[in-house]
């Protein structure tokens, strides 16, 4: 019984195939071919989703002749060969039979908005080949898992050569020109650096160029064409993120009224911080009515970061430079007054001059730090490598720093000599920075241990103090520029020292890190670097 019905099913299929194979070459254009294929294949297999695409090898463009989704004809359009599902079938020249997409299928990048919730669950998608050339792609989709069996795959594959031959026969008259004409515009759009969205009069995405796919692809579950940008459907936003939809809402609103809208920004935090800027320009139809528009997308993350850094720099420098300048001015005024009143004693003048010298040193240090900051930022920290004895360098630095405080005892634990090829000035700067920090952030005084060891290839130096300590959540951020731990801001500092130390060590092929058992538990700052570069 089963065998009989199976045989009759085969017979029907063979008969349908025969008439289809005869009908296909009689199509007078690719549009007619598309409708014929859809109508006839529907008798044999599930064609809930159906798409015919032409491929032009020269320009690497795919021109969608047409697509049908649950009986509704959707707009065609064209796109450059990319990394999506159809492109992969064209590229690999291999047919794909997916039984259960949500379980085994590749991620869908671009999809059309439809009344049916969810994505197709099964597909047969075959390349249309002519000799070893791909001339197109034919895709059948269904929302039912396992909608297609091996016979269906065989049927579609058996049909493919006839469809390819028909396309090739029709192409010289029409197909290729159409693809090439569209390709020129597409080529211009794809060569742009900016992302670009083309919207219809209702604010639905008609198409987007590759940079836009790159920007929005990773944000959400994929890009949904044919859905208004400010419209959520079944939990999906057309460009993946609610923040994008919210930022674009006023742009889309303006385009619906036929008005431009410039530089609307949105900050996204998924996949790292990114700042996108949107500008919309309206398009009009022949009667001057609003007909959608174009939205240009710039990734302005770097510009915003630079602007933020400039602001930080400006506020910090203006604050930190003003203090010593004020002190200098007051001292000069006091000296002037004493001279006018002829009451200036040499002792007073000497102590004021000392104070002024001290403040000018502070200013010079600060300016040097800013200069170093710009050098580290630009990767232009040029090193003057020479033979350096690190043990000696540590001893000299400790001797000069020890005189700053009688509250602290600095002990040095180093081998007698520890030689390597480094920039002596820069390395001295790192050692000095770590030791002065150890003093500064142990306001109660205490013991400071400076240790250096080597394994014959690298040296490791650590500076341990018994001071304020560092909360665990601050440890990873200490080496960011301008970062200061809350509670230490009353102590003088710019938050630049460790950032610059990190830059100096990185230029030497080394690294720096910090550890602390927590607030009030003291801190250890260590760095390691190779003996020779
Ligand atoms: P500055 O000392 O000028 O603020 P640094 O970059 O040298 O800048 O240090 C950054 C921050 O790291 C300091 O503001 C301080 O909060 C913390 N820090 C650095 N060294 C120590 C230390 N030895 N003990 C505790 N906190 C420290």
């Amino acid at each position: 019984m089963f065998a009989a019905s199976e045989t009759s099913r085969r017979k029907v299929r063979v008969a349908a195939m025969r008439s289809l194979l005869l009908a296909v070459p009689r199509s007078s254009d690719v549009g007619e071919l598309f409708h014929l294929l859809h109508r006839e294949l529907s008798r044999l297999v599930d064609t809930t989703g159906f798409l015919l695409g032409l491929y032009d090898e020269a320009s690497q463009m795919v021109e969608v002749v047409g697509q049908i989704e649950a009986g509704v004809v959707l707009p065609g359009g064209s796109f450059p060969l990319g990394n999506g599902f159809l492109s992969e079938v064209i590229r690999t020249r291999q047919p794909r039979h997916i039984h259960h997409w949500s379980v085994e299928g590749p991620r869908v990048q671009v999809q059309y908005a439809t009344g049916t919730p969810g994505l197709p669950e099964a597909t047969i998608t075959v390349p249309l080949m002519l000799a070893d050339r791909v001339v197109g792609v034919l895709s059948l989709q269904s929302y039912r898992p396992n909608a297609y069996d091996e016979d269906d795959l065989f049927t579609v594959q058996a049909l493919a050569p006839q469809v390819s031959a028909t396309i090739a026969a029709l192409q010289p008259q029409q197909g290729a020109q159409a693809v090439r004409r569209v390709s020129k515009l597409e080529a211009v759009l794809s060569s742009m650096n900016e992302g670009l969205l083309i919207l219809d009069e209702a604010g639905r995405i008609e198409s987007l160029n590759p940079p836009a796919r790159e920007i929005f692809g990773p944000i959400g579950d994929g890009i949904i064409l044919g859905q208004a940008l400010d419209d959520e459907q079944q939990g999906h936003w057309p460009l993946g993120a609610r923040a994008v939809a919210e930022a674009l809402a006023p742009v889309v609103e303006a385009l619906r009224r036929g008005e431009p809208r410039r530089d609307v920004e949105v900050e996204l935090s998924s996949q790292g911080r990114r700042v996108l800027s949107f500008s919309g320009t309206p398009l009009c139809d022949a009667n001057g009515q609003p007909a959608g528009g174009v939205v240009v997308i710039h990734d302005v993350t770097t510009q915003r970061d630079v602007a933020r850094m400039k602001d930080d720099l400006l506020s910090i420098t203006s604050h930190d430079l003003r203090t010593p300048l004020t002190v200098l001015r007051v001292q000069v005024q006091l000296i002037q007054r004493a001279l006018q009143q002829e009451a200036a004693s040499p002792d007073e003048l000497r102590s004021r001059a000392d104070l002024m010298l001290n403040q000018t040193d502070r200013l010079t240090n600060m300016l040097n730090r800013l200069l170093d900051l710009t050098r580290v930022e630009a990767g232009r920290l040029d090193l003057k490598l020479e033979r350096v004895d690190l043990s000696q360098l540590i001893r000299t630095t400790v001797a000069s720093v020890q005189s700053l405080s009688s509250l602290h005892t600095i002990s040095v634990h180093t081998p007698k000599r520890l030689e390597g090829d480094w920039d002596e000035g820069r390395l001295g700067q790192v050692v000095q920075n770590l030791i002065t920090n150890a003093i500064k952030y142990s306001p109660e005084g205490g013991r400071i241990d400076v240790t250096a060891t080597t394994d014959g290839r690298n040296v490791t130096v650590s500076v341990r103090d018994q001071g304020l300590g560092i909360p665990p959540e601050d440890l990873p951020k200490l080496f960011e520029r301008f970062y200061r731990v809350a509670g230490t801001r009353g102590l003088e500092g710019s938050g630049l020292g460790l950032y610059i130390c990190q830059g100096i060590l990185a230029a030497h092929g080394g690294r720096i890190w910090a550890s602390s058992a927590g607030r009030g538990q003291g801190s250890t700052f260590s760095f390691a670097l190779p003996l020779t570069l």
Side-chain angles (χ1 to χ4, degrees):
M1 178 65 197
F2 173 75
S5 79
E6 187 63 9
T7 317
S8 67
R9 195 170 87 98
R10 287 249 158 88
K11 270 191 185 155
V12 171
R13 192 176 278 255
V14 169
M17 274 294 284
R18 192 173 300 141
S19 70
L20 190 53
L21 286 170
L22 288 173
V24 162
R26 289 204 289 269
S27 313
S28 57
D29 60 45
V30 282
E32 193 184 318
L33 173 67
F34 166 69
H35 286 290
L36 172 86
L37 285 172
H38 180 250
R39 197 174 55 240
E40 294 301 321
L41 276 172
S42 302
R43 297 181 210 275
L44 300 174
V45 285
D46 189 339
T47 54
T48 309
F50 186 78
L51 177 146
L52 174 68
L54 304 182
Y55 177 60
D56 178 47
E57 231 169 25
S59 59
Q60 299 213 321
M61 294 292 302
V62 184
E63 161 89 345
V64 177
V65 175
Q67 47 186 326
I68 293 182
E69 173 70 43
V72 181
V73 181
L74 298 169
S78 57
F79 58 90
L81 198 68
N83 300 316
F85 181 70
L86 289 179
S87 298
E88 205 172 296
V89 169
I90 292 174
R91 212 188 286 280
T92 58
R93 301 163 179 215
Q94 295 299 320
R96 287 293 298 265
H97 178 188
I98 292 176
H99 300 264
H100 200 165
W101 207 313
S102 56
V103 177
E104 61 177 287
R107 189 169 168 272
V108 174
Q109 272 203 331
V110 181
Q111 180 212 346
Y112 264 92
T114 62
T116 323
L119 293 165
E121 280 293 4
T123 182
I124 288 177
T125 300
V126 297
L128 299 171
M129 307 280 301
L130 200 73
D132 59 351
R133 200 158 60 88
V134 185
V135 294
V137 60
L138 181 64
S139 180
L140 283 64
Q141 290 140 29
S142 167
Y143 285 92
R144 277 185 301 123
N146 305 310
Y148 305 108
D149 60 17
E150 292 307 307
D151 277 355
D152 297 330
L153 177 64
F154 180 76
T155 305
V156 180
Q157 278 190 289
L159 191 62
Q162 190 73 296
V163 178
S164 309
T166 308
I167 287 174
L170 290 170
Q171 282 262 29
Q173 293 108 47
Q174 38 162 312
Q177 282 123 310
V179 172
R180 297 241 160 83
R181 202 178 52 243
V182 181
S183 330
K184 264 194 193 157
L185 177 63
E186 289 282 348
V188 172
L189 298 185
S190 21
S191 66
M192 291 174 64
N193 289 329
E194 291 86 14
L196 194 110
L197 301 175
I198 299 177
L199 307 185
D200 68 6
E201 69 289 348
R204 292 179 295 232
I205 315 174
E206 246 173 30
S207 67
L208 69 170
N209 69 348
R213 283 165 202 248
E214 254 170 56
I215 293 174
F216 296 114
I219 292 178
D221 304 330
I223 298 157
I224 309 176
L225 302 181
Q227 179 178 328
L229 278 176
D230 46 3
D231 182 19
E232 182 195 14
Q233 272 181 23
Q234 287 121 23
H236 290 285
W237 294 94
L239 292 174
R242 171 191 289 268
V244 172
E246 282 173 358
L248 274 169
V251 181
V252 174
E253 218 17 73
L255 290 182
R256 283 192 188 121
R257 291 194 304 271
E259 292 164 13
R261 190 73 197 251
R262 298 201 60 78
D263 304 327
V264 174
E265 286 192 8
V266 60
E267 186 167 330
L268 301 173
S269 48
S270 64
Q271 314 261 326
R273 195 180 88 90
R274 289 179 90 184
V275 188
L276 301 180
S277 162
F278 304 113
S279 294
T281 309
L283 297 173
C284 293
D285 64 14
N287 305 319
Q289 292 303 308
V294 180
V295 178
V296 178
I297 307 133
H298 291 270
D299 189 331
V300 292
T301 318
T302 318
Q303 283 105 303
R304 292 296 162 271
D305 281 351
V306 169
R308 191 192 283 182
M309 189 187 132
K310 269 193 192 150
D311 287 350
D312 284 351
L313 244 165
L314 214 71
S315 68
I316 287 184
T317 43
S318 54
H319 170 261
D320 285 359
L321 296 180
R322 195 173 297 139
T323 322
L325 278 175
T326 313
V327 177
L328 277 172
R329 190 178 162 75
V330 169
Q331 293 303 322
V332 173
Q333 280 175 332
L334 289 173
I335 292 174
Q336 256 181 346
R337 196 177 307 157
L339 287 172
Q340 270 163 12
Q341 294 167 355
E342 292 183 0
S345 75
D347 275 354
E348 189 193 336
L349 284 180
R350 199 171 305 118
S351 88
R352 293 204 191 289
D354 284 349
L355 222 133
M356 287 164 69
L357 211 58
N358 186 291
Q359 295 301 313
T360 43
D361 285 349
R362 263 183 77 186
L363 278 173
T364 314
N365 280 342
M366 237 174 260
L367 288 174
N368 282 340
R369 280 195 174 202
L370 287 174
L371 227 78
D372 284 348
L373 169 73
T374 55
R375 287 202 185 106
V376 172
E377 291 285 322
R380 276 191 295 104
L381 208 64
D382 301 325
L383 300 182
K384 282 196 285 302
L385 296 184
E386 57 193 319
R387 204 77 194 143
V388 179
D389 179 357
L390 184 58
S391 294
Q392 181 58 37
L393 183 69
I394 291 174
R395 283 192 291 268
T396 331
T397 313
V398 167
S400 75
V401 171
Q402 178 72 78
S403 63
L404 296 178
S405 165
S406 52
L407 282 177
H408 300 85
T409 319
I410 310 178
S411 317
V412 177
H413 319 270
T414 62
K416 223 164 166 226
R417 293 178 74 80
L418 193 44
E419 290 198 341
D421 297 319
W422 304 302
D423 182 319
E424 184 161 18
R426 289 295 184 194
L427 214 51
Q429 202 178 330
V430 173
V431 174
Q432 168 143 5
N433 209 311
L434 296 187
I435 301 176
T436 44
N437 273 357
I439 294 178
K440 187 162 64 171
Y441 298 108
S442 321
E444 310 274 298
R447 188 188 159 98
I448 295 170
D449 289 285
V450 185
T451 313
T453 53
T454 179
D455 61 4
R457 287 176 52 193
N458 297 296
V459 292
T460 306
V461 175
S462 51
V463 179
R464 197 175 75 209
D465 65 53
Q466 321 278 325
L468 298 175
I470 299 159
E473 64 274 17
D474 287 300
L475 284 173
K477 302 187 198 141
L478 292 177
F479 301 94
E480 290 171 14
R481 57 175 184 236
F482 303 125
Y483 192 81
R484 306 200 69 204
V485 177
T488 59
R489 297 194 183 121
L491 300 164
E492 188 182 310
S494 61
L496 282 179
L498 291 177
Y499 178 76
I500 294 166
C501 288
Q502 188 178 42
I504 294 174
L505 289 163
H508 278 93
R511 62 193 186 90
I512 182 167
W513 65 97
S515 61
S516 170
R519 222 180 258 287
Q521 306 291 311
S523 320
T524 305
F525 281 80
S526 312
F527 66 85
L529 75 171
L531 290 173
T532 49
L533 261 182

